[in-house]
Amino acid sequence: MDQSYPARSGHDGGVLSTGERALYVVAGLVMAAAAAKPRPNPLLNVLSLGAGAYLAWRGAEGSCPVKAMLTDGRV
């Protein structure tokens, strides 16, 4: 049986360190808090809230698909 992808045992391509996790959570919460400021375009509020919540969630979870893609070459 021919495998075109190597086994992923023990590889932690997208795992965030404790410092990175803290940075993700803080940056996400700051971005989400910026969404509370009234803006002329409410779409900016929604985008800022969504992006901030996503960053905080990835930091709390401890993994990042973008980091995995950059360090490992695949998701």
Side-chain angles (χ1 to χ4, degrees):
M1 178 161 75
D2 182 69
Q3 282 187 331
S4 57
Y5 296 106
R8 294 178 58 114
S9 61
H11 195 271
D12 59 347
V15 176
L16 301 173
S17 68
T18 305
E20 289 171 330
R21 289 179 74 166
L23 186 64
Y24 269 59
V25 171
V26 169
L29 292 177
V30 166
M31 189 178 288
K37 182 179 177 185
R39 301 186 191 289
N41 187 353
L43 180 63
L44 293 176
N45 288 358
V46 173
L47 289 175
S48 179
L49 180 62
Y54 181 75
L55 271 178
W57 173 59
R58 295 317 286 181
E61 186 181 73
S63 66
C64 180
V66 175
K67 181 179 178 182
M69 189 171 43
L70 291 173
T71 58
D72 192 30
R74 56 195 147 99
V75 177

